Amino acid sequence: MADKPDAIALLKADHRKVEELFEQFEAASGAGRKEKLAMQICMELTVHTKIEEEIFYPACEGKIEEDLLKEAYVEHDGAKVLIAEIEAGGPDDEYYDAKVKVLSEQIEHHVEEEEKRMEGMFSQARRAGLDMDALGDQMRARKKQLIATYKASGLPKPETTTLSDVAV
């Protein structure tokens, strides 16, 4: 089980990883280090968002509170806007650190909504009897594919932005 976490364990592990990256960003000094961490945060969140939206959320349709699912999609949309702005910018931008901070706060709220003990999305999904092992397998395979794509093509690129002006 430890080497093959179910869907919820996989998503929670992603949450912990991103929380750690945000903490490292807060503590970091130096533009290069901050940019590297911000880009890793953006990639992790982009991949996480895709596996939730492509696999986990559709599996939850009709099985958990509809409002909770709708809010999760809207929260993802808000995060995507900030991710695109962070990826398009750089540590020299006036609002760079502020954007990463606000993204961190949005993600913190989103994670809380998903992980709430009784009424959270994960609890509701588990109570609904979804096959978390099968979902975990699907999500793990998709995540591996997405990460490989990002590594092959460099940094994750939002559809509307280019990273050609980002200093490396």
Side-chain angles (χ1 to χ4, degrees):
M1 178 71 184
D3 62 334
K4 285 187 62 167
D6 72 9
I8 290 173
L10 186 81
L11 294 173
K12 282 184 173 181
D14 282 356
H15 292 168
R16 301 296 84 80
K17 183 173 188 176
V18 171
E19 286 166 357
E20 173 64 28
L21 289 169
F22 277 123
E23 285 174 25
Q24 288 177 31
F25 182 89
E26 280 290 314
S29 57
R33 176 82 179 129
K34 283 191 162 207
E35 184 175 35
K36 187 174 189 285
L37 286 165
M39 290 302 148
Q40 188 176 355
I41 288 167
C42 290
M43 189 212 50
E44 294 288 343
L45 288 175
T46 300
V47 169
H48 179 81
T49 299
K50 280 187 181 294
I51 66 172
E52 279 189 330
E53 290 180 358
E54 291 176 5
I55 300 164
F56 190 72
Y57 291 175
C60 290
E61 294 272 346
K63 301 199 173 15
I64 68 166
E65 285 176 42
E66 188 181 347
D67 286 350
L68 202 55
L69 206 50
K70 284 181 177 175
E71 284 176 31
Y73 279 111
V74 172
E75 288 168 356
H76 277 194
D77 287 348
K80 288 175 191 173
V81 169
L82 277 173
I83 288 168
E85 290 182 15
I86 292 165
E87 288 178 336
D92 298 337
D93 294 353
E94 185 179 0
Y95 293 100
Y96 192 76
D97 285 15
K99 287 175 183 179
V100 175
K101 179 67 175 165
V102 170
L103 180 61
S104 169
E105 291 167 353
Q106 284 184 352
I107 298 304
E108 187 179 328
H109 169 80
H110 180 71
V111 165
E112 188 181 313
E113 293 282 307
E114 288 184 338
E115 293 188 10
K116 268 187 200 156
R117 192 161 182 85
M118 295 306 288
E119 69 273 13
M121 182 184 288
F122 294 169
S123 295
Q124 288 185 29
R126 226 183 253 296
R127 282 197 305 273
L130 294 175
D131 185 343
M132 294 300 171
D133 291 326
L135 284 171
D137 289 344
Q138 279 182 275
M139 289 163 54
R140 204 170 9 270
R142 181 67 175 130
K143 184 175 178 177
K144 190 175 177 183
Q145 184 182 44
L146 288 165
I147 290 170
T149 301
Y150 284 143
K151 286 184 176 169
S153 62
L155 296 172
K157 295 171 181 62
E159 294 88 53
T160 57
T161 319
T162 64
L163 294 171
S164 58
D165 58 345
V166 174
V168 178

